[in-house]
Amino acid sequence: MKQADQDVTTRIVRRETHSARTGASAVAAVLGILFFAYVLLESVLQVLGEQPWLIDPPTFGHWLADLPAEVDPVILGLSGALVFLAGLLFFLPAVLPGRRARYALPNPRAAVVVEGEVLAASLARCARMQAGVTPQQVLVIVGRTLVEVQIRPTSGTPVDAEAVRAAVEDELTLTKLDPQPAVRVRVADAGVIGQ
């Protein structure tokens, strides 16, 4: 595969496995545009000698400078907390990885991305076949670093947790996920009757 094709494939996989930041970016841009349009409107009204629409910039600047003396400290603290939370809503999406529940499978010819639910269903089928239980008795949770298999056995029929773990690990090896998540199998103490 040529380097250019590999770069395109890498970008496609990244786009499919990570969430976009367009929503937060669009909200930030709209809020910024509205704020600066309002400041421009007030400035133009002041230059033309008209009455301010809400408050003229110099009056607002003086009010802001005298803010701690004029406002109740509780209201000031709550306002600061709200501004902090609003800033956090924009800051966190920018710095957190934003990974989707999708996994890239290595393939030399194409970008292969699989949903977490599809991978979990495949591993659940493998665990169910090894444990000899029905689909309702197996729950698989696929995480980035851990695959957790929960089995509720049929009453009176023991389940070999180590054999189930080995079977699920073999199935995971076939996917060639990088990095390979660890597998943990939990067998419930109470069995299911009549399954």
Side-chain angles (χ1 to χ4, degrees):
M1 181 186 271
K2 291 187 246 176
Q3 183 63 34
D5 293 339
Q6 192 172 10
D7 292 344
V8 170
T9 302
T10 303
R11 275 191 311 204
I12 290 170
V13 167
R14 170 120 177 111
R15 180 174 283 165
E16 289 298 318
T17 57
H18 291 74
S19 60
R21 307 295 201 262
T22 53
S25 300
V27 169
V30 167
L31 290 176
I33 289 170
L34 291 176
F35 173 74
F36 288 114
Y38 169 71
V39 170
L40 180 65
L41 171 70
E42 291 293 356
S43 300
V44 169
L45 288 175
Q46 184 182 11
V47 167
L48 295 176
E50 299 289 326
Q51 290 292 329
W53 189 49
L54 293 177
I55 187 170
D56 62 296
T59 305
F60 181 70
H62 292 303
W63 177 80
L64 210 60
D66 296 336
L67 194 57
E70 293 182 2
V71 180
D72 183 24
V74 174
I75 293 174
L76 191 61
L78 289 175
S79 301
L82 286 175
V83 169
F84 175 75
L85 288 175
L88 214 58
L89 287 175
F90 289 106
F91 178 73
L92 289 179
V95 296
L96 293 177
R99 296 186 70 91
R100 294 180 180 173
R102 296 179 179 171
Y103 301 88
L105 302 181
N107 188 316
R109 297 179 352 143
V112 179
V113 177
V114 64
E115 293 277 342
E117 293 89 10
V118 174
L119 186 59
S122 170
L123 297 175
R125 182 188 57 76
C126 176
R128 174 178 60 88
M129 298 295 280
Q130 181 65 40
V133 296
T134 63
Q136 294 81 14
Q137 293 173 263
V138 177
L139 174 66
V140 175
I141 301 169
V142 178
R144 192 73 34 208
T145 59
L146 178 69
V147 173
E148 187 171 342
V149 181
Q150 299 172 5
I151 300 174
R152 292 181 312 157
T154 305
S155 290
T157 307
V159 172
D160 184 3
E162 189 57 37
V164 172
R165 188 187 61 73
V168 171
E169 282 179 346
D170 289 346
E171 185 78 13
L172 262 177
T173 304
L174 294 176
T175 64
K176 297 182 176 132
L177 281 179
D178 186 31
Q180 280 284 327
V183 177
R184 182 170 61 198
V185 177
R186 280 200 250 170
V187 180
D189 295 332
V192 177
I193 298 173
Q195 292 287 334

